[in-house]
Amino acid sequence: MPFSDELITEAVARYRRERDRYVKLADRVAEICREDVCEQNAIRAHVTFRIKTEKSFEGKLRRFASREDRNYTSIDEIFASISDLAGVRVSAYQEKDCNQIVQKMEELFCGPAGQQTIEIDRKDKKTDLNENYYRATHVQAALRQDQLIGIYDNVGDISCEIQICTMIAHVWNEVEHDIGYKSDDAGPSPDEAYHLSDLGRLVRRGDHVISALMAAHERRLTAINPASNSVDPERPFMDVHDFVSRMRDFWGDAMPKFAENSGQLFDLLNDLGVNSPKAVQDTLQGMNAECARALLSRLNDRLAEEGVTELSLKPETSDLMLVPLANKMPDQIRAALQGRAGRGRGRPTRLHRVMLRHLSQA
């Protein structure tokens, strides 16, 4: 039995009153995705957010009104059921990065309604039986308790839908959504379906082309100084992606996941004026991967004793470079951290917290 127009009107009125909460939540979730997920781990991606308009919310309720599985009896039931009032999209350049993005979200967010873990729905609708090329992972996430401070203290009871896909897959997803999902008729015509399938095949091929293009781009960044036909160790890093490309083999294969946690390390090195492979080499003179692992292990033991294992460093990542750097330049790092104190929103960064604990024992 359809729910009433009166219930729809009351739900829209409540959403009008509370919409600013969803704006704050989506803005903050997008910022965390952009800075702590993508930039921190040198993942090329575009992060956007949006809030459902009142008109869109009302339209969705009216589409639901005739469905047996949406027989709402109260406004609370409506708000508990509709999960995309606040939405964030993370569009990665490469498909291989999508899983890492989701893994990082598991570390940074909690699930809705007090759940400890985020809700993950991996969608890939193409099978041998259909021609639906939709590809994305949907995550339902909320801010953790320690993030509900300041202006965010009133968003703990709502959650945000995060969609993760490649930039090129997003093209097909949006086109299909407008032609199929939002259509009031029986769905795409055979002609529309043909072209959607054709576009889907192009999009999947496009993902492979983009990955090959990015690999070629990385090879160019890492290598040749035309004047000497050799790697130029004094050329400054252009950005965090250049930094990762040129430093991941600094100690051979000791850091196979060098990109992880590389963003804040890159920023710190820039603050210290250590901005090229040669500058890093000179700074870490006499240090090797074995010594670095020993230093990192001792710091992790101390963090465990203090009960802050969430700050534990990972030796297979760029963390391996961080601790010996602190041992070589403790005073300069203290000054750099003081200069960065208070930036951003919420608590201090992971690097800031780890380094202060390490330097206090130095």
Side-chain angles (χ1 to χ4, degrees), residues 120-148:
I120 302 173
D121 184 9
R122 301 183 187 276
K123 298 178 181 289
D124 188 341
K125 295 181 180 178
K126 185 177 187 306
T127 70
D128 293 337
L129 302 177
N130 65 53
E131 289 296 314
N132 193 332
Y133 288 82
Y134 185 90
R135 284 177 300 142
T137 297
H138 290 199
V139 166
Q140 199 67 30
L143 296 183
R144 297 181 314 207
Q145 191 64 39
D146 62 350
Q147 296 165 332
L148 300 175

PDB file of all heavy atoms in Angstrom, residues 120-148:
ATOM      1  N   ILE A 120      30.412  -2.158   3.092  1.00  0.00           N
ATOM      2  CA  ILE A 120      31.025  -2.183   1.764  1.00  0.00           C
ATOM      3  C   ILE A 120      30.168  -3.021   0.828  1.00  0.00           C
ATOM      4  O   ILE A 120      29.851  -4.171   1.123  1.00  0.00           O
ATOM      5  CB  ILE A 120      32.452  -2.767   1.824  1.00  0.00           C
ATOM      6  CG1 ILE A 120      33.325  -1.940   2.774  1.00  0.00           C
ATOM      7  CG2 ILE A 120      33.078  -2.810   0.430  1.00  0.00           C
ATOM      8  CD1 ILE A 120      34.695  -2.547   3.014  1.00  0.00           C
ATOM      9  N   ASP A 121      29.802  -2.446  -0.295  1.00  0.00           N
ATOM     10  CA  ASP A 121      29.008  -3.142  -1.304  1.00  0.00           C
ATOM     11  C   ASP A 121      29.737  -3.019  -2.634  1.00  0.00           C
ATOM     12  O   ASP A 121      29.727  -1.963  -3.267  1.00  0.00           O
ATOM     13  CB  ASP A 121      27.601  -2.526  -1.390  1.00  0.00           C
ATOM     14  CG  ASP A 121      26.688  -3.277  -2.358  1.00  0.00           C
ATOM     15  OD1 ASP A 121      27.087  -4.368  -2.825  1.00  0.00           O
ATOM     16  OD2 ASP A 121      25.592  -2.767  -2.656  1.00  0.00           O
ATOM     17  N   ARG A 122      30.403  -4.092  -3.044  1.00  0.00           N
ATOM     18  CA  ARG A 122      31.171  -4.070  -4.291  1.00  0.00           C
ATOM     19  C   ARG A 122      30.234  -4.441  -5.442  1.00  0.00           C
ATOM     20  O   ARG A 122      29.737  -5.561  -5.508  1.00  0.00           O
ATOM     21  CB  ARG A 122      32.354  -5.035  -4.206  1.00  0.00           C
ATOM     22  CG  ARG A 122      33.303  -4.696  -3.069  1.00  0.00           C
ATOM     23  CD  ARG A 122      34.512  -5.610  -3.026  1.00  0.00           C
ATOM     24  NE  ARG A 122      35.312  -5.378  -1.832  1.00  0.00           N
ATOM     25  CZ  ARG A 122      36.235  -4.437  -1.721  1.00  0.00           C
ATOM     26  NH1 ARG A 122      36.470  -3.634  -2.736  1.00  0.00           N
ATOM     27  NH2 ARG A 122      36.929  -4.293  -0.600  1.00  0.00           N
ATOM     28  N   LYS A 123      30.043  -3.504  -6.344  1.00  0.00           N
ATOM     29  CA  LYS A 123      29.088  -3.689  -7.431  1.00  0.00           C
ATOM     30  C   LYS A 123      29.841  -3.821  -8.754  1.00  0.00           C
ATOM     31  O   LYS A 123      30.621  -2.961  -9.124  1.00  0.00           O
ATOM     32  CB  LYS A 123      28.125  -2.497  -7.514  1.00  0.00           C
ATOM     33  CG  LYS A 123      27.277  -2.325  -6.257  1.00  0.00           C
ATOM     34  CD  LYS A 123      26.388  -1.110  -6.378  1.00  0.00           C
ATOM     35  CE  LYS A 123      25.559  -0.893  -5.133  1.00  0.00           C
ATOM     36  NZ  LYS A 123      24.512  -1.880  -4.958  1.00  0.00           N
ATOM     37  N   ASP A 124      29.603  -4.881  -9.426  1.00  0.00           N
ATOM     38  CA  ASP A 124      30.116  -5.079 -10.776  1.00  0.00           C
ATOM     39  C   ASP A 124      29.071  -5.920 -11.476  1.00  0.00           C
ATOM     40  O   ASP A 124      29.061  -7.147 -11.387  1.00  0.00           O
ATOM     41  CB  ASP A 124      31.473  -5.783 -10.767  1.00  0.00           C
ATOM     42  CG  ASP A 124      32.112  -5.821 -12.148  1.00  0.00           C
ATOM     43  OD1 ASP A 124      31.376  -5.646 -13.134  1.00  0.00           O
ATOM     44  OD2 ASP A 124      33.334  -6.025 -12.244  1.00  0.00           O
ATOM     45  N   LYS A 125      28.165  -5.252 -12.143  1.00  0.00           N
ATOM     46  CA  LYS A 125      26.959  -5.922 -12.606  1.00  0.00           C
ATOM     47  C   LYS A 125      27.124  -6.682 -13.917  1.00  0.00           C
ATOM     48  O   LYS A 125      26.203  -7.369 -14.350  1.00  0.00           O
ATOM     49  CB  LYS A 125      25.831  -4.894 -12.757  1.00  0.00           C
ATOM     50  CG  LYS A 125      25.410  -4.266 -11.441  1.00  0.00           C
ATOM     51  CD  LYS A 125      24.278  -3.290 -11.650  1.00  0.00           C
ATOM     52  CE  LYS A 125      23.863  -2.657 -10.326  1.00  0.00           C
ATOM     53  NZ  LYS A 125      22.782  -1.660 -10.514  1.00  0.00           N
ATOM     54  N   LYS A 126      28.269  -6.556 -14.575  1.00  0.00           N
ATOM     55  CA  LYS A 126      28.405  -7.246 -15.854  1.00  0.00           C
ATOM     56  C   LYS A 126      28.646  -8.731 -15.625  1.00  0.00           C
ATOM     57  O   LYS A 126      29.570  -9.128 -14.921  1.00  0.00           O
ATOM     58  CB  LYS A 126      29.554  -6.678 -16.683  1.00  0.00           C
ATOM     59  CG  LYS A 126      29.607  -7.312 -18.074  1.00  0.00           C
ATOM     60  CD  LYS A 126      30.691  -6.704 -18.932  1.00  0.00           C
ATOM     61  CE  LYS A 126      30.591  -7.240 -20.349  1.00  0.00           C
ATOM     62  NZ  LYS A 126      30.594  -8.698 -20.414  1.00  0.00           N
ATOM     63  N   THR A 127      27.830  -9.570 -16.218  1.00  0.00           N
ATOM     64  CA  THR A 127      27.997 -11.018 -16.193  1.00  0.00           C
ATOM     65  C   THR A 127      27.823 -11.537 -17.617  1.00  0.00           C
ATOM     66  O   THR A 127      27.547 -10.784 -18.555  1.00  0.00           O
ATOM     67  CB  THR A 127      26.949 -11.691 -15.286  1.00  0.00           C
ATOM     68  OG1 THR A 127      25.656 -11.591 -15.912  1.00  0.00           O
ATOM     69  CG2 THR A 127      26.887 -11.036 -13.921  1.00  0.00           C
ATOM     70  N   ASP A 128      27.941 -12.847 -17.761  1.00  0.00           N
ATOM     71  CA  ASP A 128      27.741 -13.436 -19.085  1.00  0.00           C
ATOM     72  C   ASP A 128      26.288 -13.338 -19.528  1.00  0.00           C
ATOM     73  O   ASP A 128      25.972 -13.558 -20.694  1.00  0.00           O
ATOM     74  CB  ASP A 128      28.165 -14.909 -19.072  1.00  0.00           C
ATOM     75  CG  ASP A 128      29.667 -15.065 -18.881  1.00  0.00           C
ATOM     76  OD1 ASP A 128      30.387 -14.098 -19.202  1.00  0.00           O
ATOM     77  OD2 ASP A 128      30.102 -16.124 -18.420  1.00  0.00           O
ATOM     78  N   LEU A 129      25.392 -13.026 -18.593  1.00  0.00           N
ATOM     79  CA  LEU A 129      23.964 -13.013 -18.896  1.00  0.00           C
ATOM     80  C   LEU A 129      23.419 -11.620 -19.166  1.00  0.00           C
ATOM     81  O   LEU A 129      22.244 -11.473 -19.497  1.00  0.00           O
ATOM     82  CB  LEU A 129      23.187 -13.648 -17.729  1.00  0.00           C
ATOM     83  CG  LEU A 129      23.584 -15.088 -17.377  1.00  0.00           C
ATOM     84  CD1 LEU A 129      22.789 -15.570 -16.175  1.00  0.00           C
ATOM     85  CD2 LEU A 129      23.347 -16.012 -18.567  1.00  0.00           C
ATOM     86  N   ASN A 130      24.223 -10.570 -18.991  1.00  0.00           N
ATOM     87  CA  ASN A 130      23.700  -9.235 -19.252  1.00  0.00           C
ATOM     88  C   ASN A 130      24.804  -8.328 -19.780  1.00  0.00           C
ATOM     89  O   ASN A 130      25.958  -8.710 -19.856  1.00  0.00           O
ATOM     90  CB  ASN A 130      23.071  -8.637 -17.979  1.00  0.00           C
ATOM     91  CG  ASN A 130      24.105  -8.400 -16.889  1.00  0.00           C
ATOM     92  OD1 ASN A 130      25.126  -7.753 -17.116  1.00  0.00           O
ATOM     93  ND2 ASN A 130      23.849  -8.907 -15.694  1.00  0.00           N
ATOM     94  N   GLU A 131      24.419  -7.136 -20.159  1.00  0.00           N
ATOM     95  CA  GLU A 131      25.367  -6.168 -20.697  1.00  0.00           C
ATOM     96  C   GLU A 131      25.391  -4.914 -19.830  1.00  0.00           C
ATOM     97  O   GLU A 131      25.492  -3.799 -20.329  1.00  0.00           O
ATOM     98  CB  GLU A 131      24.973  -5.815 -22.134  1.00  0.00           C
ATOM     99  CG  GLU A 131      25.211  -6.935 -23.134  1.00  0.00           C
ATOM    100  CD  GLU A 131      26.689  -7.264 -23.267  1.00  0.00           C
ATOM    101  OE1 GLU A 131      27.507  -6.328 -23.381  1.00  0.00           O
ATOM    102  OE2 GLU A 131      27.033  -8.453 -23.242  1.00  0.00           O
ATOM    103  N   ASN A 132      25.281  -5.096 -18.519  1.00  0.00           N
ATOM    104  CA  ASN A 132      25.336  -3.959 -17.602  1.00  0.00           C
ATOM    105  C   ASN A 132      26.782  -3.776 -17.163  1.00  0.00           C
ATOM    106  O   ASN A 132      27.358  -4.651 -16.522  1.00  0.00           O
ATOM    107  CB  ASN A 132      24.434  -4.215 -16.390  1.00  0.00           C
ATOM    108  CG  ASN A 132      24.219  -2.955 -15.580  1.00  0.00           C
ATOM    109  OD1 ASN A 132      25.068  -2.071 -15.566  1.00  0.00           O
ATOM    110  ND2 ASN A 132      23.093  -2.872 -14.895  1.00  0.00           N
ATOM    111  N   TYR A 133      27.347  -2.645 -17.505  1.00  0.00           N
ATOM    112  CA  TYR A 133      28.767  -2.415 -17.260  1.00  0.00           C
ATOM    113  C   TYR A 133      29.011  -1.564 -16.004  1.00  0.00           C
ATOM    114  O   TYR A 133      30.095  -1.025 -15.842  1.00  0.00           O
ATOM    115  CB  TYR A 133      29.406  -1.732 -18.467  1.00  0.00           C
ATOM    116  CG  TYR A 133      29.566  -2.648 -19.656  1.00  0.00           C
ATOM    117  CD1 TYR A 133      28.509  -2.892 -20.520  1.00  0.00           C
ATOM    118  CD2 TYR A 133      30.780  -3.279 -19.915  1.00  0.00           C
ATOM    119  CE1 TYR A 133      28.648  -3.727 -21.620  1.00  0.00           C
ATOM    120  CE2 TYR A 133      30.937  -4.109 -21.009  1.00  0.00           C
ATOM    121  CZ  TYR A 133      29.867  -4.336 -21.850  1.00  0.00           C
ATOM    122  OH  TYR A 133      30.020  -5.163 -22.931  1.00  0.00           O
ATOM    123  N   TYR A 134      28.020  -1.458 -15.148  1.00  0.00           N
ATOM    124  CA  TYR A 134      28.196  -0.634 -13.936  1.00  0.00           C
ATOM    125  C   TYR A 134      29.317  -1.208 -13.091  1.00  0.00           C
ATOM    126  O   TYR A 134      29.344  -2.395 -12.769  1.00  0.00           O
ATOM    127  CB  TYR A 134      26.909  -0.590 -13.122  1.00  0.00           C
ATOM    128  CG  TYR A 134      26.994   0.348 -11.931  1.00  0.00           C
ATOM    129  CD1 TYR A 134      26.632   1.679 -12.056  1.00  0.00           C
ATOM    130  CD2 TYR A 134      27.457  -0.094 -10.691  1.00  0.00           C
ATOM    131  CE1 TYR A 134      26.724   2.559 -10.988  1.00  0.00           C
ATOM    132  CE2 TYR A 134      27.553   0.777  -9.621  1.00  0.00           C
ATOM    133  CZ  TYR A 134      27.182   2.087  -9.771  1.00  0.00           C
ATOM    134  OH  TYR A 134      27.282   2.956  -8.709  1.00  0.00           O
ATOM    135  N   ARG A 135      30.274  -0.354 -12.709  1.00  0.00           N
ATOM    136  CA  ARG A 135      31.372  -0.778 -11.838  1.00  0.00           C
ATOM    137  C   ARG A 135      31.630   0.301 -10.808  1.00  0.00           C
ATOM    138  O   ARG A 135      31.957   1.433 -11.153  1.00  0.00           O
ATOM    139  CB  ARG A 135      32.660  -1.007 -12.639  1.00  0.00           C
ATOM    140  CG  ARG A 135      32.694  -2.294 -13.435  1.00  0.00           C
ATOM    141  CD  ARG A 135      33.962  -2.384 -14.235  1.00  0.00           C
ATOM    142  NE  ARG A 135      34.068  -1.265 -15.158  1.00  0.00           N
ATOM    143  CZ  ARG A 135      35.214  -0.650 -15.444  1.00  0.00           C
ATOM    144  NH1 ARG A 135      36.337  -0.993 -14.855  1.00  0.00           N
ATOM    145  NH2 ARG A 135      35.233   0.347 -16.310  1.00  0.00           N
ATOM    146  N   ALA A 136      31.459  -0.047  -9.569  1.00  0.00           N
ATOM    147  CA  ALA A 136      31.766   0.874  -8.467  1.00  0.00           C
ATOM    148  C   ALA A 136      31.684   0.087  -7.175  1.00  0.00           C
ATOM    149  O   ALA A 136      31.056  -0.969  -7.106  1.00  0.00           O
ATOM    150  CB  ALA A 136      30.788   2.049  -8.433  1.00  0.00           C
ATOM    151  N   THR A 137      32.337   0.620  -6.156  1.00  0.00           N
ATOM    152  CA  THR A 137      32.175   0.110  -4.799  1.00  0.00           C
ATOM    153  C   THR A 137      31.469   1.182  -3.990  1.00  0.00           C
ATOM    154  O   THR A 137      31.881   2.345  -4.012  1.00  0.00           O
ATOM    155  CB  THR A 137      33.532  -0.231  -4.156  1.00  0.00           C
ATOM    156  OG1 THR A 137      34.157  -1.274  -4.903  1.00  0.00           O
ATOM    157  CG2 THR A 137      33.347  -0.705  -2.719  1.00  0.00           C
ATOM    158  N   HIS A 138      30.391   0.790  -3.319  1.00  0.00           N
ATOM    159  CA  HIS A 138      29.650   1.727  -2.480  1.00  0.00           C
ATOM    160  C   HIS A 138      30.008   1.464  -1.022  1.00  0.00           C
ATOM    161  O   HIS A 138      29.970   0.324  -0.553  1.00  0.00           O
ATOM    162  CB  HIS A 138      28.141   1.549  -2.671  1.00  0.00           C
ATOM    163  CG  HIS A 138      27.655   1.998  -4.013  1.00  0.00           C
ATOM    164  ND1 HIS A 138      26.337   2.283  -4.268  1.00  0.00           N
ATOM    165  CD2 HIS A 138      28.317   2.244  -5.178  1.00  0.00           C
ATOM    166  CE1 HIS A 138      26.196   2.670  -5.529  1.00  0.00           C
ATOM    167  NE2 HIS A 138      27.388   2.638  -6.102  1.00  0.00           N
ATOM    168  N   VAL A 139      30.355   2.511  -0.322  1.00  0.00           N
ATOM    169  CA  VAL A 139      30.701   2.435   1.098  1.00  0.00           C
ATOM    170  C   VAL A 139      29.736   3.327   1.870  1.00  0.00           C
ATOM    171  O   VAL A 139      29.502   4.475   1.477  1.00  0.00           O
ATOM    172  CB  VAL A 139      32.165   2.889   1.333  1.00  0.00           C
ATOM    173  CG1 VAL A 139      32.424   3.149   2.811  1.00  0.00           C
ATOM    174  CG2 VAL A 139      33.134   1.855   0.797  1.00  0.00           C
ATOM    175  N   GLN A 140      29.176   2.792   2.937  1.00  0.00           N
ATOM    176  CA  GLN A 140      28.348   3.606   3.835  1.00  0.00           C
ATOM    177  C   GLN A 140      29.179   3.859   5.087  1.00  0.00           C
ATOM    178  O   GLN A 140      29.598   2.920   5.767  1.00  0.00           O
ATOM    179  CB  GLN A 140      27.043   2.891   4.189  1.00  0.00           C
ATOM    180  CG  GLN A 140      25.952   3.802   4.708  1.00  0.00           C
ATOM    181  CD  GLN A 140      25.440   4.767   3.630  1.00  0.00           C
ATOM    182  OE1 GLN A 140      25.450   4.448   2.454  1.00  0.00           O
ATOM    183  NE2 GLN A 140      25.009   5.949   4.036  1.00  0.00           N
ATOM    184  N   ALA A 141      29.462   5.131   5.365  1.00  0.00           N
ATOM    185  CA  ALA A 141      30.422   5.452   6.421  1.00  0.00           C
ATOM    186  C   ALA A 141      29.949   6.641   7.239  1.00  0.00           C
ATOM    187  O   ALA A 141      29.177   7.483   6.774  1.00  0.00           O
ATOM    188  CB  ALA A 141      31.792   5.765   5.806  1.00  0.00           C
ATOM    189  N   ALA A 142      30.445   6.693   8.471  1.00  0.00           N
ATOM    190  CA  ALA A 142      30.172   7.815   9.376  1.00  0.00           C
ATOM    191  C   ALA A 142      31.484   8.250  10.010  1.00  0.00           C
ATOM    192  O   ALA A 142      32.489   7.526   9.959  1.00  0.00           O
ATOM    193  CB  ALA A 142      29.169   7.392  10.451  1.00  0.00           C
ATOM    194  N   LEU A 143      31.484   9.424  10.592  1.00  0.00           N
ATOM    195  CA  LEU A 143      32.671   9.902  11.289  1.00  0.00           C
ATOM    196  C   LEU A 143      32.853   9.127  12.589  1.00  0.00           C
ATOM    197  O   LEU A 143      31.881   8.808  13.285  1.00  0.00           O
ATOM    198  CB  LEU A 143      32.552  11.391  11.594  1.00  0.00           C
ATOM    199  CG  LEU A 143      32.480  12.343  10.399  1.00  0.00           C
ATOM    200  CD1 LEU A 143      32.429  13.791  10.884  1.00  0.00           C
ATOM    201  CD2 LEU A 143      33.663  12.148   9.460  1.00  0.00           C
ATOM    202  N   ARG A 144      34.106   8.853  12.920  1.00  0.00           N
ATOM    203  CA  ARG A 144      34.415   8.181  14.189  1.00  0.00           C
ATOM    204  C   ARG A 144      34.170   9.135  15.357  1.00  0.00           C
ATOM    205  O   ARG A 144      34.104  10.355  15.194  1.00  0.00           O
ATOM    206  CB  ARG A 144      35.873   7.717  14.197  1.00  0.00           C
ATOM    207  CG  ARG A 144      36.196   6.694  13.128  1.00  0.00           C
ATOM    208  CD  ARG A 144      37.645   6.272  13.212  1.00  0.00           C
ATOM    209  NE  ARG A 144      38.561   7.395  13.361  1.00  0.00           N
ATOM    210  CZ  ARG A 144      39.816   7.400  12.959  1.00  0.00           C
ATOM    211  NH1 ARG A 144      40.308   6.339  12.364  1.00  0.00           N
ATOM    212  NH2 ARG A 144      40.583   8.440  13.150  1.00  0.00           N
ATOM    213  N   GLN A 145      34.091   8.547  16.537  1.00  0.00           N
ATOM    214  CA  GLN A 145      33.785   9.336  17.727  1.00  0.00           C
ATOM    215  C   GLN A 145      34.796  10.450  17.943  1.00  0.00           C
ATOM    216  O   GLN A 145      34.429  11.578  18.304  1.00  0.00           O
ATOM    217  CB  GLN A 145      33.748   8.417  18.962  1.00  0.00           C
ATOM    218  CG  GLN A 145      33.188   9.069  20.209  1.00  0.00           C
ATOM    219  CD  GLN A 145      31.725   9.469  20.067  1.00  0.00           C
ATOM    220  OE1 GLN A 145      30.938   8.745  19.479  1.00  0.00           O
ATOM    221  NE2 GLN A 145      31.368  10.628  20.615  1.00  0.00           N
ATOM    222  N   ASP A 146      36.087  10.182  17.697  1.00  0.00           N
ATOM    223  CA  ASP A 146      37.099  11.209  17.927  1.00  0.00           C
ATOM    224  C   ASP A 146      37.088  12.301  16.857  1.00  0.00           C
ATOM    225  O   ASP A 146      37.810  13.296  16.967  1.00  0.00           O
ATOM    226  CB  ASP A 146      38.497  10.584  18.027  1.00  0.00           C
ATOM    227  CG  ASP A 146      38.917   9.869  16.754  1.00  0.00           C
ATOM    228  OD1 ASP A 146      38.062   9.678  15.861  1.00  0.00           O
ATOM    229  OD2 ASP A 146      40.093   9.497  16.649  1.00  0.00           O
ATOM    230  N   GLN A 147      36.277  12.128  15.801  1.00  0.00           N
ATOM    231  CA  GLN A 147      36.153  13.158  14.776  1.00  0.00           C
ATOM    232  C   GLN A 147      34.931  14.052  15.004  1.00  0.00           C
ATOM    233  O   GLN A 147      34.764  15.055  14.315  1.00  0.00           O
ATOM    234  CB  GLN A 147      36.041  12.494  13.395  1.00  0.00           C
ATOM    235  CG  GLN A 147      37.295  11.709  12.994  1.00  0.00           C
ATOM    236  CD  GLN A 147      37.037  10.786  11.820  1.00  0.00           C
ATOM    237  OE1 GLN A 147      35.916  10.330  11.610  1.00  0.00           O
ATOM    238  NE2 GLN A 147      38.080  10.488  11.057  1.00  0.00           N
ATOM    239  N   LEU A 148      34.093  13.678  15.974  1.00  0.00           N
ATOM    240  CA  LEU A 148      32.854  14.430  16.223  1.00  0.00           C
ATOM    241  C   LEU A 148      33.118  15.570  17.198  1.00  0.00           C
ATOM    242  O   LEU A 148      32.612  15.609  18.318  1.00  0.00           O
ATOM    243  CB  LEU A 148      31.771  13.482  16.772  1.00  0.00           C
ATOM    244  CG  LEU A 148      31.385  12.327  15.845  1.00  0.00           C
ATOM    245  CD1 LEU A 148      30.412  11.394  16.548  1.00  0.00           C
ATOM    246  CD2 LEU A 148      30.790  12.856  14.543  1.00  0.00           C
TER     247      LEU A 148
END
